Every structure is written in structure tokens, then in C-alpha cells.
Amino acid sequence: ATWVLRLPCVLAAMGCVGLTVSIVRRLHGHTVAMIAGILLALCSEYFWRTSRFRLDFMHTLFMLAAVRMCVEGAMRARAGSFSAARAWVLAAGVPVGLAMLVKPMFGLIALALAGVWFLLVWPTVAGGTARPVRSLIKWIPASMLLAVGVAAPWHIVMVVRHGDVFTHQYFIKQP
């Protein structure tokens, strides 16, 4: 029954493929999305790593979920639905907080990169309609605070229970 130990990793890897397809479809259309998904799913290194228990797939799944939410926010802002756009970007903090429960602090990178994307890359994708999307940048810090709020309770309990042993293992050895 060792497959039961690998099942979460396999499911997370499948979720990563699905989220990759969803992100690419929203930005570049169905054909490009299917090609991206097939290439990722058939990559031998990617497939091989699913046969071992690794937290990387779960972490990546949560980060991709946050990226997908930020992409949706950008698309909603572009369409003029600013309240929905802000809600999507703010809500991206939830999967980032879950990513921070899997691996320390790296989940915040997804939100920081979304901010850079809103600022630098989006104007080339949007074809001159960058202003509404750039306004989403101010919601990235709020999303980061939400992420910290999701992850903080567990971290606080671990520090109270285990003290320096936890902080050294979690922040120094693990990354």
C-alpha cells in the first residue's frame, strides 16, 4: 500500500498540470494551453518525481492557484470589473498562506512576482490597457498579509511548543 503515500503527490502534480493549463488558457487560448499541459504532464523528470513523496508539488500547487487568481484579477480589471479584480487578487493570499504551511516564506514569491507582472509584463499582454491592472499592485501587500494570517496560527503554536528547535529546523535547515 505504498501507493497511498504517493497519492497526495500525484494528485498535487495533476493539479499543477490543470492549473498550468488554466493559466495559459486564460492568457493565450485553448490550443497553447493544451500544448503547455501536455508538455508538462509528459515531461519525464516531472513524471518521475511524482513517484516519491515530496512537498514541492503541494507547494507548487498552492502557488499556481495564487497565480491563477491573480491572472483572473488582471483579466477582470481589464474588462472593467474592478471590485471582482480586487477580490481575486486579495483572495490569492489564501493559497499563498497554505503554501507557507508547506514551505517557509517562499509562497510570498508568487504574490511578489504577480506584482511585477502587473507592473512590467501586463502592458505587453494587454495591448495598452495596463492602467486598470497596474492599480491592482496596491492589493498585493493586503494579499500578503492575508497569507501571513492564514499561516501564522500554526507557526505560532510550533514556536511556543518547540522554540528554537522549530525555528532552526524550519527557517535554517529546511529551505
Side-chain angles (χ1 to χ4, degrees):
T2 58
W3 68 270
V4 173
L5 298 174
R6 294 185 192 112
L7 185 61
C9 191
V10 170
L11 292 175
M14 290 170 50
C16 288
V17 171
L19 282 167
T20 298
V21 169
S22 179
I23 291 165
V24 175
R25 180 184 305 161
R26 194 70 167 113
L27 293 172
H28 300 291
H30 181 75
T31 303
V32 178
M34 294 312 296
I35 291 169
I38 289 168
L39 287 176
L40 179 58
L42 296 180
C43 177
S44 62
E45 185 72 18
Y46 187 78
F47 182 76
W48 176 77
R49 290 196 183 273
T50 62
S51 66
R52 287 156 176 66
F53 178 77
R54 298 186 57 91
L55 294 175
D56 298 332
F57 285 108
M58 193 66 67
H59 188 258
T60 304
L61 177 71
F62 291 134
M63 289 180 64
L64 282 172
V67 168
R68 176 61 179 94
M69 294 169 94
C70 287
V71 166
E72 188 62 33
M75 298 304 275
R76 298 286 176 107
R78 181 180 182 189
S81 180
F82 302 111
S83 60
R86 289 188 295 268
W88 277 102
V89 172
L90 182 62
V94 173
V96 168
L98 296 173
M100 290 171 63
L101 290 171
V102 177
K103 287 196 172 224
M105 307 316 233
F106 292 112
L108 293 174
I109 291 171
L111 291 173
L113 290 176
V116 170
W117 183 69
F118 291 157
L119 186 64
L120 300 177
V121 178
W122 180 260
T124 63
V125 174
T129 58
R131 176 170 280 180
V133 176
R134 285 186 177 165
S135 71
L136 294 175
I137 292 171
K138 63 185 170 196
W139 290 94
I140 296 291
S143 186
M144 287 179 169
L145 284 174
L146 178 59
V148 170
V150 168
W154 180 81
H155 288 86
I156 291 168
V157 168
M158 291 297 107
V159 169
V160 167
R161 260 196 180 163
H162 304 289
D164 290 341
V165 173
F166 168 76
T167 55
H168 182 73
Q169 176 68 30
Y170 191 74
F171 291 109
I172 306 298
K173 283 189 169 183
Q174 185 181 4

